[in-house]
Amino acid sequence: MSEMHNTAAWLPAVGAKLELRPAPISEPGRDELLIQTEAVAVQPAEYKIQDGVLPFPLTYPTIIGLCFAGRVVKTGPGVTRFQIGDRVVTNSAGTLRNDARFGALQQYALSTQQLTAKIGDASFEKSATLASNLYGAISALLLHLKLDRPGSVPDSQNKSKKILIWGASSSFGAAAVQIAASAGYSVVGVASGSNAALVKSLGASEFVDRTDDSATEALIALGPYHAVLAAADSAKDQGTIGIVLAAQGVARFCLLWV
């Protein structure tokens, strides 16, 4: 690795600006990959971490960034799924690890084979973006809302459970619609009327135009909801969501905080 040089966007402290400067090239450990980054999906949560809005317990200076795509340049012991030269996308979980070696905002970053997938000839940029959206949607639906995972044979009882997804035509919301529908849930998608066909094609069984004057009444009539996800919403939208939640009683609710 002596012939290669690494540069990273270091975050020196909470509230500080990123500083572009050298970083060591890390040796991959067991089940780990060293990846030359080609595209990084920068998430809103990352500038909030930088500003201190999201108080992650990080050791500074650090390198943030989760989802990125690139080429495998070295593999650690136990790696069986990847070889040097593979084009891949990954979620390194660097911020959650509090480990700058896994931060995406550098030329050479570590990740694990468990959180990495081959992308073939697909675009690095599109792959990184997709990984970011899937990470957020799966985290919201499975970890926070406690929904079932998609499977080849979804639980038939899920069909009677309605999942309301606000902002269903956004990149985050579109991924959430597909995941929830694949797990057998009945999805009610909310977006602008021009995106009705798109949302229905993703697997939503019902659609409500968020700009319609009767949207609140329509959503209440379609309930009750097993879970509600606000994937993309304005301050006005949040008022409507609050009215729907109040009318329906208890429901699992998750707001996209990033």
Side-chain angles (χ1 to χ4, degrees):
M1 291 298 156
S2 59
E3 72 278 13
M4 300 192 302
H5 301 280
N6 193 17
T7 302
W10 287 92
L11 180 60
V14 174
K17 293 183 178 179
L18 296 177
E19 297 179 357
L20 198 63
R21 49 190 175 86
I25 294 179
S26 302
E27 188 73 15
R30 174 160 291 278
D31 291 330
E32 294 176 354
L33 309 167
L34 180 64
I35 300 171
Q36 181 178 6
T37 60
E38 295 288 348
V40 178
V42 179
Q43 304 178 41
E46 285 155 8
Y47 76 75
K48 294 182 179 180
I49 291 172
Q50 180 181 356
D51 291 345
V53 176
L54 295 177
F56 274 73
L58 301 177
T59 302
Y60 294 94
T62 191
I63 304 169
I64 59 176
L66 297 174
C67 299
F68 62 97
R71 295 180 175 85
V72 176
V73 295
K74 192 169 186 180
T75 61
V79 173
T80 57
R81 296 175 49 226
F82 301 95
Q83 297 179 346
I84 293 173
D86 283 345
R87 302 172 84 254
V88 298
V89 65
T90 190
N91 182 323
S92 67
T95 304
L96 301 178
R97 298 173 188 275
N98 187 20
D99 191 335
R101 299 176 304 157
F102 290 81
L105 297 180
Q106 57 185 317
Q107 289 178 291
Y108 296 93
L110 291 179
S111 191
T112 64
Q113 66 172 342
Q114 292 85 352
L115 296 176
T116 303
K118 296 178 182 179
I119 61 172
D121 295 328
S123 159
F124 287 122
E125 292 81 2
K126 291 181 179 179
S127 298
T129 300
L130 178 61
S132 176
N133 290 330
L134 288 175
Y135 165 74
I138 289 175
S139 175
L141 295 176
L142 275 56
L143 300 181
H144 297 287
L145 293 176
K146 309 297 183 183
L147 300 189
D148 290 345
R149 297 174 181 270
S152 56
V153 183
D155 187 340
S156 59
Q157 295 183 2
N158 287 344
K159 195 67 177 176
S160 63
K161 300 175 182 177
K162 292 187 176 180
I163 311 300
L164 173 60
I165 298 179
W166 196 288
S169 64
S170 67
S171 56
F172 179 95
V177 170
Q178 294 177 80
I179 293 168
S182 296
Y185 294 100
S186 295
V187 177
V188 177
V190 182
S192 297
S194 60
N195 292 313
L198 169 64
V199 175
K200 294 295 287 288
S201 73
L202 297 173
S205 54
E206 301 284 350
F207 177 84
V208 174
D209 183 348
R210 59 180 288 276
T211 66
D212 197 297
D213 291 338
S214 62
T216 303
E217 291 75 15
L219 288 169
I220 291 174
L222 285 170
Y225 301 102
H226 181 69
V228 177
L229 171 63
D233 55 300
S234 64
K236 181 180 177 181
D237 293 336
Q238 291 173 11
T240 301
I241 295 170
I243 294 172
V244 173
L245 288 173
Q248 297 295 335
V250 178
R252 294 173 178 170
F253 173 64
C254 182
L255 173 68
L256 177 59
W257 51 269
V258 298

